[in-house]
Coordinates of all heavy atoms in Angstrom, one line a residue:
S1 N 4.8 -14.7 -1.0 CA 4.8 -13.2 -0.7 C 5.4 -12.9 0.6 O 6.2 -11.9 0.7 CB 3.3 -12.8 -0.7 OG 3.2 -11.4 -0.4
A2 N 5.1 -13.6 1.6 CA 5.7 -13.4 3.0 C 7.2 -13.6 2.9 O 8.0 -12.7 3.5 CB 5.1 -14.3 4.0
Y3 N 7.7 -14.6 2.3 CA 9.2 -14.8 2.2 C 9.8 -13.6 1.4 O 10.9 -13.2 1.8 CB 9.5 -16.1 1.5 CG 9.5 -17.3 2.4 CD1 8.7 -18.4 2.1 CD2 10.3 -17.4 3.5 CE1 8.7 -19.6 2.9 CE2 10.3 -18.5 4.3 CZ 9.5 -19.6 4.0 OH 9.5 -20.7 4.8
S4 N 9.2 -13.2 0.3 CA 9.7 -12.1 -0.5 C 9.8 -10.8 0.4 O 10.8 -10.1 0.3 CB 8.8 -11.8 -1.7 OG 8.8 -12.9 -2.6
N5 N 8.7 -10.5 1.1 CA 8.8 -9.4 2.0 C 9.8 -9.5 3.1 O 10.5 -8.5 3.5 CB 7.4 -9.2 2.7 CG 6.3 -8.7 1.7 OD1 6.6 -8.0 0.8 ND2 5.1 -9.0 2.0
Y6 N 10.0 -10.7 3.6 CA 11.1 -10.9 4.6 C 12.5 -10.6 4.0 O 13.3 -9.9 4.6 CB 11.0 -12.4 5.1 CG 12.2 -12.7 6.0 CD1 12.2 -12.3 7.3 CD2 13.2 -13.6 5.6 CE1 13.3 -12.6 8.2 CE2 14.2 -13.9 6.4 CZ 14.3 -13.4 7.7 OH 15.3 -13.8 8.5
I7 N 12.7 -11.1 2.8 CA 14.0 -10.9 2.2 C 14.2 -9.3 1.9 O 15.3 -8.8 2.1 CB 14.1 -11.7 0.9 CG1 14.3 -13.2 1.2 CG2 15.3 -11.2 0.0 CD1 14.1 -14.1 0.0
H8 N 13.1 -8.7 1.5 CA 13.1 -7.3 1.2 C 13.5 -6.5 2.5 O 14.3 -5.6 2.4 CB 11.8 -6.8 0.6 CG 11.7 -5.3 0.4 ND1 12.3 -4.7 -0.7 CD2 11.1 -4.4 1.1 CE1 12.1 -3.4 -0.6 NE2 11.4 -3.2 0.4
E9 N 12.9 -6.9 3.6 CA 13.2 -6.2 4.9 C 14.6 -6.4 5.3 O 15.3 -5.5 5.8 CB 12.3 -6.7 6.0 CG 10.8 -6.1 5.9 CD 10.1 -6.3 7.1 OE1 10.6 -6.9 8.1 OE2 8.9 -6.0 7.2
V10 N 15.1 -7.6 5.0 CA 16.5 -7.8 5.4 C 17.5 -7.0 4.5 O 18.4 -6.4 5.0 CB 16.9 -9.3 5.2 CG1 18.4 -9.6 5.3 CG2 16.1 -10.2 6.2
D11 N 17.1 -6.9 3.2 CA 18.0 -6.1 2.3 C 17.9 -4.6 2.5 O 18.9 -3.9 2.5 CB 17.6 -6.4 0.8 CG 18.0 -7.8 0.4 OD1 18.8 -8.4 1.1 OD2 17.4 -8.4 -0.5
E12 N 16.6 -4.1 2.8 CA 16.4 -2.7 2.9 C 16.7 -2.1 4.2 O 17.3 -1.1 4.4 CB 14.9 -2.4 2.4 CG 14.6 -2.7 1.0 CD 15.4 -1.8 0.0 OE1 15.6 -0.7 0.3 OE2 15.9 -2.3 -1.0
T13 N 16.1 -2.8 5.3 CA 16.2 -2.3 6.6 C 17.4 -2.9 7.4 O 17.7 -2.3 8.5 CB 14.9 -2.4 7.4 OG1 14.6 -3.9 7.5 CG2 13.8 -1.8 6.6
G14 N 17.9 -4.0 6.9 CA 19.0 -4.6 7.7 C 18.6 -5.1 9.0 O 19.1 -4.6 10.0
I15 N 17.8 -6.1 9.1 CA 17.4 -6.7 10.4 C 18.7 -7.2 11.1 O 19.5 -7.9 10.5 CB 16.4 -7.9 10.2 CG1 15.1 -7.4 9.5 CG2 16.1 -8.6 11.5 CD1 14.2 -8.5 9.2
Q16 N 18.8 -6.8 12.4 CA 19.9 -7.1 13.1 C 19.9 -8.6 13.5 O 18.9 -9.2 13.8 CB 20.0 -6.3 14.4 CG 20.1 -4.8 14.2 CD 21.4 -4.4 13.5 OE1 22.5 -4.9 13.8 NE2 21.3 -3.5 12.5
N17 N 21.1 -9.2 13.5 CA 21.3 -10.6 13.9 C 20.4 -11.5 13.1 O 19.7 -12.4 13.6 CB 21.0 -10.8 15.4 CG 21.9 -9.9 16.3 OD1 23.1 -9.8 16.0 ND2 21.3 -9.3 17.3
V18 N 20.3 -11.3 11.8 CA 19.5 -12.1 10.9 C 19.9 -13.6 11.0 O 21.1 -13.9 11.0 CB 19.4 -11.6 9.5 CG1 20.8 -11.7 8.9 CG2 18.4 -12.3 8.7
D19 N 19.0 -14.5 11.0 CA 19.3 -15.9 11.0 C 19.6 -16.4 9.6 O 18.7 -16.4 8.7 CB 18.0 -16.7 11.6 CG 18.3 -18.1 11.9 OD1 19.2 -18.7 11.2 OD2 17.7 -18.7 12.8
R20 N 20.8 -16.8 9.4 CA 21.2 -17.3 8.1 C 20.4 -18.5 7.6 O 20.1 -18.7 6.4 CB 22.7 -17.6 8.0 CG 23.6 -16.4 8.1 CD 25.1 -16.7 8.2 NE 25.5 -17.6 7.1 CZ 25.9 -17.2 6.0 NH1 26.0 -15.9 5.7 NH2 26.3 -18.0 5.0
D21 N 20.1 -19.4 8.5 CA 19.3 -20.6 8.2 C 18.0 -20.2 7.6 O 17.5 -20.8 6.6 CB 19.1 -21.5 9.4 CG 20.4 -22.1 9.8 OD1 21.4 -22.2 9.0 OD2 20.5 -22.6 11.0
E22 N 17.3 -19.2 8.3 CA 16.0 -18.7 7.8 C 16.1 -18.1 6.5 O 15.2 -18.3 5.6 CB 15.4 -17.8 8.9 CG 15.2 -18.3 10.3 CD 14.1 -19.4 10.3 OE1 13.6 -19.8 9.3 OE2 13.7 -19.8 11.4
L23 N 17.2 -17.3 6.3 CA 17.3 -16.5 5.0 C 17.5 -17.5 3.8 O 16.9 -17.4 2.8 CB 18.5 -15.5 5.2 CG 18.6 -14.5 4.1 CD1 17.3 -13.6 4.0 CD2 19.8 -13.6 4.4
C24 N 18.4 -18.5 4.0 CA 18.7 -19.4 2.9 C 17.4 -20.3 2.6 O 17.2 -20.6 1.5 CB 19.9 -20.2 3.2 SG 19.8 -21.4 4.5
H25 N 16.7 -20.6 3.7 CA 15.5 -21.4 3.5 C 14.4 -20.5 2.7 O 13.7 -21.1 1.9 CB 14.9 -21.7 4.9 CG 13.6 -22.5 4.8 ND1 13.5 -23.8 4.5 CD2 12.3 -22.0 4.9 CE1 12.2 -24.2 4.5 NE2 11.5 -23.2 4.7
A26 N 14.4 -19.2 3.0 CA 13.5 -18.4 2.2 C 13.9 -18.4 0.7 O 13.0 -18.5 -0.1 CB 13.5 -16.9 2.8
Y27 N 15.1 -18.2 0.4 CA 15.6 -18.3 -1.0 C 15.2 -19.6 -1.6 O 14.8 -19.6 -2.8 CB 17.1 -18.0 -1.1 CG 17.5 -16.6 -0.9 CD1 18.4 -16.2 0.1 CD2 17.0 -15.6 -1.7 CE1 18.7 -14.9 0.3 CE2 17.3 -14.2 -1.5 CZ 18.2 -13.9 -0.5 OH 18.6 -12.6 -0.3
K28 N 15.4 -20.7 -0.9 CA 15.2 -22.0 -1.5 C 13.7 -22.1 -1.8 O 13.3 -22.7 -2.9 CB 15.6 -23.1 -0.5 CG 15.4 -24.5 -1.0 CD 15.9 -25.5 0.0 CE 14.9 -25.8 1.1 NZ 15.2 -26.9 1.9

């Protein structure tokens, strides 16, 4: 649930300087 919310915030609000390593880890 936390990973899904994180991805949603990145997609919807566009977190600045998002860490690509963290994002791909969330998808995995």
Side-chain angles (χ1 to χ4, degrees):
S1 177
Y3 276 126
S4 296
N5 288 333
Y6 174 72
I7 291 170
H8 176 74
E9 284 194 3
V10 171
D11 292 339
E12 294 296 320
T13 61
I15 296 175
Q16 298 296 318
N17 303 320
V18 64
D19 191 330
R20 287 174 57 85
D21 290 341
E22 300 289 10
L23 194 57
C24 66
H25 179 79
Y27 284 123
K28 184 179 77 171

